[in-house]
Amino acid sequence: GQGTDAHTEVNLYPIRMLKADGTIVNCSYDDSLTIAEGARGQVVGTAFPEASSYPGGWADELSMSEGYCQIFKNACPMYSGTAMATEHRFRKNEFVRKWGDVVKEQKMDIEHALMLGVGGVQQANAGLIDKTDSTGVERFTWGLIPWISTFGQIQSMSYSATGYNDFVDFAMEFNRPEFGSSRMKLIYASDKIIGWFAKLGHGTSFIGNTAGSGAHRYDVMNRPSVFGFNITQVVTPFGTFNFVNHPLLRGQWRDLAVMVDMDKVFYRPLAGNGRSRDSFINTNVQNPGVDGRVDEMITEAGLQITVPENHVVFKFSS
């Protein structure tokens, strides 16, 4: 908020002034001009020299509370005219081959952001990155893990103690009808957690913990999906948990599983006013006169997650 002494500083460089008595005063940039406090004045207009550049602009800053769209950019490196005309033995068009890598790079950038990104807005020149070519804002979309950890639920699990009974108890409380949660849940999990479901042995696995606790009837199965990857499915009377191995849940994330209600999550490319900022390609963005070519791929999109209580991060410990 503004204090009592808040003000806006404006630099005015008058060329001519019409005084209240009708006289005209010619001014120069070097003149020292004093205006009495409280005096009134009228700015008539501005003038620009021939062949001058565009002036600075002003706009309202919209309020941004959630659902940020992040701008993703990946560029194919400069290929000279010589390289563009050179045929290689195995992949003749090296530029086309490299473009295939650029598309994969952008796909992975988006996937990282939608899983691990922390949402927010900051000035582009705030110091984190050298942005000498831009003074606009940078927007970062929320990823599943940070958003659910901040606004959703966190459930503790144990490799040595959690069994089928614990999943039944959790499902019974979590899938109550008044919560409006669907009874079919997708859970992204690490290879460590997926392996824990498949292992045998007392007290060292999901199966071992389940059998050791006296619950000899449990529903856990592996089945292929229509997309070709395997799903580890845990069925309880109160809902079904579909565990899918996610390659980004590695390293410091190996003990996490993210349960998502897919009916409450949406991928949102920016679109409005007849324009779409979903993935598109800008061709020939190199400087004029360069004997070469640079193309770039741009996507402006974000992840919208709603109803926080319908999503859970499982944290496994030994």
Side-chain angles (χ1 to χ4, degrees):
Q2 294 184 340
T4 56
D5 61 344
H7 66 279
T8 300
E9 182 176 331
V10 178
N11 295 322
L12 295 177
Y13 300 97
I15 302 300
R16 296 177 180 85
M17 286 200 312
L18 175 63
K19 300 181 70 172
D21 59 3
T23 59
I24 298 174
V25 178
N26 293 320
C27 305
S28 69
Y29 292 114
D30 297 330
D31 285 346
S32 176
L33 180 65
T34 301
I35 299 176
E37 182 178 357
R40 291 182 174 273
Q42 173 68 51
V43 177
V44 176
T46 57
F48 298 93
E50 293 184 14
S52 61
S53 183
Y54 60 87
W58 179 90
D60 286 322
E61 186 66 41
L62 299 179
S63 174
M64 294 166 287
S65 59
E66 62 178 52
Y68 307 110
C69 281
Q70 184 169 331
I71 299 176
F72 302 90
K73 289 186 178 183
N74 295 83
C76 192
M78 169 70 74
Y79 274 78
S80 66
T82 303
M84 297 289 292
T86 301
E87 292 189 4
H88 296 259
R89 177 174 296 178
F90 300 104
R91 295 292 296 270
K92 289 190 174 184
N93 194 327
E94 181 67 8
F95 183 77
V96 172
R97 184 199 68 81
K98 183 57 183 175
W99 242 116
D101 292 341
V102 172
V103 173
K104 295 175 184 176
E105 289 170 10
Q106 178 141 121
K107 182 261 182 186
M108 289 304 300
D109 285 349
I110 295 174
E111 188 170 4
H112 276 81
L114 300 190
M115 178 61 74
L116 301 169
V118 177
V121 178
Q122 70 174 27
Q123 289 295 323
N125 58 358
L128 294 180
I129 304 175
D130 182 14
K131 295 285 187 179
T132 56
D133 61 340
S134 174
T135 58
V137 296
E138 290 177 328
R139 299 176 181 87
F140 303 89
T141 187
W142 280 103
L144 289 173
I145 291 178
W147 194 92
I148 298 173
S149 298
T150 304
F151 305 107
Q153 300 190 46
I154 297 177
Q155 179 70 28
S156 298
M157 293 286 178
S158 170
Y159 291 116
S160 60
T162 298
Y164 180 73
N165 288 350
D166 299 289
F167 276 87
V168 172
D169 292 340
F170 172 78
M172 180 174 61
E173 294 296 326
F174 186 79
N175 289 329
R176 291 185 180 277
E178 58 268 26
F179 291 163
S181 178
S182 66
R183 298 172 68 88
M184 181 74 73
K185 290 295 192 300
L186 175 65
I187 302 179
Y188 295 116
S190 66
D191 53 0
K192 181 179 180 181
I193 294 175
I194 295 295
W196 174 74
F197 278 101
K199 291 177 181 178
L200 299 174
H202 176 68
T204 60
S205 65
F206 175 77
I207 297 175
N209 295 337
T210 300
S213 63
H216 298 288
R217 181 188 178 279
Y218 53 89
D219 292 306
V220 56
M221 66 189 76
N222 290 296
R223 63 178 183 84
S225 72
V226 295
F227 301 104
F229 53 82
N230 290 328
I231 295 177
T232 299
Q233 193 172 74
V234 178
V235 181
T236 76
F238 305 101
T240 300
F241 303 95
N242 295 301
F243 286 80
V244 176
N245 181 216
H246 199 292
L248 292 184
L249 296 177
R250 60 182 185 268
Q252 68 268 36
W253 314 114
R254 289 191 72 190
D255 294 321
L256 294 184
V258 187
M259 186 171 76
V260 182
D261 189 335
M262 296 303 292
D263 292 338
K264 311 298 190 304
V265 176
F266 309 93
Y267 175 72
R268 298 295 196 193
L270 181 63
N273 300 320
R275 300 170 62 91
S276 174
R277 295 282 289 178
D278 203 356
S279 299
F280 64 96
I281 296 173
N282 274 344
T283 60
N284 293 291
V285 298
Q286 71 279 352
N287 293 329
V290 173
D291 181 20
R293 175 172 175 175
V294 176
D295 294 350
E296 68 173 344
M297 187 172 186
I298 301 177
T299 301
E300 188 165 2
L303 191 66
Q304 180 187 7
I305 314 171
T306 61
V307 193
E309 57 270 20
N310 285 175
H311 313 278
V312 178
V313 169
F314 291 107
K315 289 189 174 182
F316 281 78
S317 62
S318 56

